[in-house]
Amino acid sequence: MSPSNTPVDSEDKTEEDSTPRDFIRDIVHEDMSAGRYPSVITRFPPEPNGYLHIGHAKSICLNFGIAEDFGGRCHLRFDDTNPTKEEQEYIDAIQEDVRWLGFDWGEHLYYTSDYFEQLYDWAEHLINEGMAYVDDLTADEIREHRGTLTEPGTNSPYRDRAIEENLDLFRQMRAGKFDNGAKVLRAKIDMASGNINLRDPVIYRIMHAEHPRTGAAWCIYPNYDFAHGQSDAIENITHSICTLEFEDHRPLYDWLIEHLTVPSEPHQYEFARLNLTYTVLSKRRLMELVSEGHVAGWDDPRMPTISGYRRRGYPAAAIRDFAGRIGVSKANATVEVQSLEACVRENLNENAERRMAVLNPLKVVIENYPEDQTEELDAFNNPNDESAGSRKVPFSKEFYIERDDFMEDPPKKFFRLAPGREVRLRYAYFITCTEAIKDDNGEVIELRCTYDPATKGGNAPDGRKVKATLHWVSANHAIDAQIREYEHLFTTEIPGAEGEFLDDINSDSLTVLANCKLEPALQDASESETVQFERLGYFCLDKDATAEKMIFNKTIGLRDTWAKTQAKTQAKGQQNK
RNA sequence: UGGGGCGUAGCCAAGUGGCCUAAGGCACCGGCUUUUGAUGCCGGCAUUCGGAGGUUCGAAUCCUCCCGCCCCAGCCA
C-alpha cells in the first residue's frame, strides 16, 4: 500500500508501525487481534462538489494511513449521489490531489453511482418488506410532520400504503412519471424516535438532472444515508470512518445494514473534523471565496485547499506530517495554523536548496573593486546537508542588498549595515559602508562601500569578527522577478465568530513585489521545488510565470526573531507614550 | 425541555485505578553554537486533569450530581 514515490519520512518506521496511536487505530488493532476480518479495508469518500482541503487531508491520511499500518487497503470512492452539485472537474482534481499527497488507491477507484442499480433493488426490497413507503407530502409538509427536537413527529397519511401500491409508485418514480419533489421514498422506522434521523428518513428523491457519470439514466437518486453504508458493504469496507456530525446517523446506517441483504457488515466510526485558526474550512465558504472572486481560484496560494498549498510550495510530506502530529480524537478542536507552518518550515529547512534573492533592492557599489571583474564564488546548496552540493554565484562591483539590511541611524540592537560599519556578504567579502547616497527626498538610493580582498569567501585572516551576514545579488547578473507574498486570508482566529466571515477577510493577504532580483541559478527553478531564499524564507515558481517573466510565491518566511524583538520594542515605546 | 457527543497547559494530544509528584508536538521564555538574527543543541513551561461530592490503602482514570461546549428538525453530504 505504501506509495513508492513517497519522499522523506520513511526512516524510523520499524516497530512503531503496528502499534495503535489513536482511538480508531485502537479499535482496528483490537478487531484485527480478535481475527474479526481477514484484512482492513477503509475508504476515502469525497463528494465531488468542490476541491479537497486540509481537513480532507486529515481524513485521507487517517484512512490511507490505517490501511498502510495494518497491511490492508484504502479505496477512493466518489460519493456522487447528488447530480445537481457534482462535476467532473472536481472528480479529476480530487484524484490529482490525493495522488499528490502521496497515496495510491491502486485498482480501487469507485463511484457510488456504480451501485445505483443495486441500491434501487435494495429500496424495492425494503418496500416489499413493508419497511419503506412512497410519500406524497411536500417537503414543507414532511418537515411539519417531523416534529421538533423535543416533540415527536406524526405519521404521514401515506405511511400505510399497501406494498403493491408503494412498489408501483416507486417504479413510476424511476420511470420519470413525476416532477421533482412530487414524491419521495421513505424508510418506515419510528416517527417518535428521539433521533430525528430515524423519523422515517427520506432515502430516495426525484431529481431530473444530468449526472456526470450516469447521464440521464436516472431521475431518482438515493441520498447519503441510503447510499453510504450499502456502498461500504459492497466494497467490503471494514471500518467506515467519518466525522462527528454523522454520529447521529449511525443508528440508521446500522438499521439499513441489518435489514438489507448486504455482502458484508461494515461499521462506522467518527472522529472530530479539523479546524484551523485564521482559516475557513467548509466547502460552502471556500466555494463562496472562489465564486465571488475573493481569491483567484481553488488553487489560490492563500486557500487551505490541497491545490492551494501545492501551488504555494508546501511539501506533501509536511501536510502528512501535520496530519500525524495533530492526532485523531473526538474533541472539537481548532488547531493553530502555526502548527501547520512549523511542519512546513521543518520539512523545507531539511530539504530546500538555498539561493539568494533580494526582494527590496538597494544598490551597492564597491569603490575599490575592479571595474569589469566578475568572480564565481562557491555557495552551498544546503549548509545543513553536504550532499546537496554547491553552486557558483557571480560577484561583481555592483550588487543589490535588502533595503532592510541598511540603516543610516541604527538603533542599538541592529547589527546589519550602517555608515562606517563592516558586515559580511554571504560567501563573498567583508564590506564597509563609506557613504549613503540620497535622492532629493532624502531617500537612500545607493550605498558606496569598500571591500577587504583578504576576506574572500567570508572569513578574515586576522580573525576579526563581524556581527552580520547579508545576502546579495550581483547587479549585472540578476534576474528580474515578481514575488508574491501572502499573509493569512483572515484577520481573526475564527473567521465569522462574530458576524459574517467575509468581513474578516484580510485585505492585505497578498503583496506583490515587482522589482525583485534573483541570482542566476534561479533560472531553472520549478513549480514543484520550493527553495529557500537565504535569510528570507521559502519560495517556489508560480504557474503564472512565463519565459519572459519569473513569478515566485512566498511559501513561508523564516522564523524572524529580529522582527519579533523590533515589534516588542515598538510596542513598549507605544506604551510609554 | 428530546437524541447524540465532548471537556487533560495558550493550541493540539497521550493516558483506560498504583511505575502519573501527567508523554509528545506547536507556541512561549532563557542559554550555547552559528558565514542564514535561520537551523541545531541544552534548559524552563499543568503538585494538576471542567466543578463538587463519594468509593478505595491509592483516582485524570470507578460512582453520583452539577457546569460548560459541539452536533441533529435538507427531498445536502
Side-chain angles (χ1 to χ4, degrees):
Chain A
M1 199 65 224
S2 180
S4 54
N5 60 341
T6 304
V8 211
D9 74 19
S10 50
E11 63 286 271
D12 49 39
K13 270 195 147 188
T14 35
E15 43 194 44
E16 283 272 297
D17 267 42
S18 54
T19 50
R21 300 197 303 270
D22 56 66
F23 81 98
I24 293 180
R25 271 177 246 250
D26 281 347
I27 291 167
V28 175
H29 183 76
E30 146 81 26
D31 284 344
M32 297 315 284
S33 312
R36 281 192 266 272
Y37 307 104
S39 72
V40 178
I41 307 178
T42 56
R43 102 268 91 116
F44 173 62
E47 182 190 12
N49 68 344
Y51 279 59
L52 262 24
H53 54 67
I54 185 83
H56 292 110
K58 176 180 180 183
S59 173
I60 292 166
C61 291
L62 214 213
N63 279 294
F64 280 92
I66 285 176
E68 252 173 58
D69 290 356
F70 294 89
R73 65 170 192 257
C74 180
H75 299 177
L76 174 61
R77 180 169 76 231
F78 287 99
D79 209 346
D80 54 349
T81 59
N82 186 346
T84 65
K85 295 188 172 177
E86 297 149 7
E87 292 173 24
Q88 188 61 40
E89 179 199 346
Y90 301 131
I91 293 177
D92 298 336
I94 288 168
Q95 295 189 55
E96 185 187 357
D97 289 347
V98 175
R99 245 184 248 116
W100 178 78
L101 266 181
F103 298 103
D104 182 9
W105 53 89
E107 304 296 293
H108 304 283
L109 172 64
Y110 303 108
Y111 296 83
T112 300
S113 54
D114 292 341
Y115 313 136
F116 280 172
E117 197 62 52
Q118 170 68 266
L119 258 7
Y120 176 84
D121 287 345
W122 276 325
E124 283 208 354
H125 172 82
L126 233 39
I127 293 172
N128 281 125
E129 296 297 311
M131 292 188 287
Y133 62 98
V134 172
D135 198 343
D136 295 0
L137 256 28
T138 64
D140 283 345
E141 290 167 333
I142 286 179
R143 187 181 322 116
E144 283 160 21
H145 282 74
R146 192 152 29 224
T148 69
L149 294 179
T150 54
E151 297 158 336
T154 51
N155 290 172
S156 163
Y158 303 98
R159 194 174 200 262
D160 294 315
R161 283 222 254 234
I163 289 173
E164 278 314 314
E165 187 187 356
N166 281 319
L167 217 43
D168 178 54
L169 256 16
F170 189 49
R171 288 173 179 168
Q172 288 189 54
M173 280 169 63
R174 175 176 184 170
K177 297 288 169 51
F178 308 113
D179 292 337
N180 288 348
K183 287 178 168 40
V184 292
L185 183 69
R186 292 229 255 171
K188 191 191 282 190
I189 306 180
D190 177 11
M191 288 306 292
S193 174
N195 183 340
I196 288 178
N197 294 300
L198 262 21
R199 319 242 263 228
D200 290 8
V202 169
I203 54 178
Y204 260 93
R205 64 300 207 199
I206 298 170
M207 288 176 132
H208 292 274
E210 189 86 0
H211 183 108
R213 292 188 58 82
T214 61
W218 295 87
C219 65
I220 58 171
Y221 293 91
N223 68 356
Y224 169 87
D225 285 311
F226 195 69
H228 207 94
Q230 289 94 295
S231 298
D232 287 339
I234 291 169
E235 295 176 20
N236 287 302
I237 300 301
T238 54
H239 302 263
S240 181
I241 302 164
C242 62
T243 43
L244 252 30
E245 66 270 28
F246 292 101
E247 227 159 2
D248 289 343
H249 293 244
R250 187 168 5 110
L252 178 53
Y253 182 106
D254 292 341
W255 187 90
L256 289 164
I257 293 299
E258 183 190 338
H259 294 285
L260 263 16
T261 312
V262 293
S264 74
E265 200 177 304
H267 291 278
Q268 175 184 304
Y269 304 93
E270 312 85 12
F271 70 98
R273 66 182 332 139
L274 171 68
N275 294 295
L276 263 190
T277 56
Y278 299 103
T279 308
V280 120
L281 235 42
S282 82
K283 277 196 194 169
R284 191 214 105 212
R285 286 171 160 187
L286 294 175
M287 178 74 80
E288 209 171 325
L289 290 171
V290 173
S291 60
E292 291 183 12
H294 294 105
V295 294
W298 286 99
D299 68 345
D300 186 299
R302 293 166 293 181
M303 290 284 274
T305 50
I306 305 301
S307 54
Y309 287 132
R310 178 169 60 234
R311 185 172 170 189
R312 173 92 173 244
Y314 280 28
I319 294 174
R320 278 186 256 122
D321 181 29
F322 173 68
R325 288 193 202 185
I326 58 176
V328 178
S329 76
K330 299 192 68 158
N332 283 317
T334 300
V335 178
E336 296 174 327
V337 253
Q338 290 86 332
S339 187
L340 205 211
E341 294 169 346
C343 294
V344 174
R345 285 199 183 94
E346 186 178 306
N347 179 291
L348 257 16
N349 173 54
E350 217 171 290
N351 303 303
E353 293 209 346
R354 290 352 44 164
R355 295 290 183 267
M356 289 200 285
V358 174
L359 269 39
N360 296 295
L362 173 60
K363 190 175 215 175
V364 179
V365 177
I366 305 194
E367 297 182 304
N368 60 337
Y369 192 88
E371 196 69 43
D372 297 315
Q373 188 174 89
T374 294
E375 291 180 88
E376 296 288 330
L377 304 171
D378 290 309
F380 294 115
N381 286 328
N382 187 339
N384 300 339
D385 176 12
E386 268 190 43
S387 72
S390 64
R391 65 186 189 286
K392 298 287 187 184
V393 186
F395 181 79
S396 60
K397 187 182 180 77
E398 297 187 4
F399 54 87
Y400 299 102
I401 64 166
E402 212 66 61
R403 290 207 92 88
D404 287 353
D405 285 339
F406 173 81
M407 278 187 110
E408 198 176 13
D409 185 21
K412 275 224 168 49
K413 279 182 282 186
F414 182 90
F415 46 81
R416 272 111 94 148
L417 199 58
R421 185 124 86 193
E422 183 173 54
V423 299
R424 170 169 41 231
L425 292 178
R426 174 136 245 225
Y427 298 125
Y429 295 98
F430 283 11
I431 58 167
T432 304
C433 179
T434 52
E435 186 190 357
I437 300 173
K438 299 178 186 175
D439 64 10
D440 298 339
N441 301 320
E443 184 105 359
V444 176
I445 53 169
E446 185 180 308
L447 261 28
R448 313 300 285 201
C449 297
T450 59
Y451 85 119
D452 177 355
T455 58
K456 182 167 180 177
N459 282 306
D462 64 5
R464 73 180 189 277
K465 301 290 184 198
V466 96
K467 292 211 55 171
T469 299
L470 271 40
H471 58 95
W472 50 274
V473 171
S474 172
N476 285 328
H477 309 268
I479 302 169
D480 288 309
Q482 178 194 96
I483 290 179
R484 299 171 178 173
E485 294 188 310
Y486 306 100
E487 285 177 19
H488 298 147
L489 229 200
F490 295 90
T491 56
T492 51
E493 284 206 344
I494 315 287
E498 12 200 319
E500 177 53 36
F501 84 101
L502 290 174
D503 294 341
D504 294 337
I505 283 194
N506 177 6
S507 52
D508 295 322
S509 61
L510 169 65
T511 302
V512 177
L513 300 169
N515 190 29
C516 308
K517 304 293 182 181
L518 314 179
E519 69 161 274
L522 252 3
Q523 195 57 253
D524 3 87
S526 84
E527 287 174 38
S528 58
E529 196 186 352
T530 304
V531 298
Q532 181 190 106
F533 289 176
E534 293 215 43
R535 300 210 307 133
L536 297 174
Y538 299 94
F539 298 78
C540 71
L541 194 68
D542 187 75
K543 69 173 190 184
D544 288 348
T546 63
E548 303 80 50
K549 186 183 182 189
M550 293 202 99
I551 300 175
F552 279 80
N553 292 310
K554 181 173 186 175
T555 305
I556 191 163
L558 254 30
R559 236 179 227 99
D560 191 349
T561 51
W562 165 239
K564 208 180 280 179
T565 48
Q566 259 183 321
K568 264 185 214 165
T569 51
Q570 239 174 29
K572 254 184 211 166
Q574 214 73 327
Q575 258 178 9
N576 295 341
K577 275 175 192 174

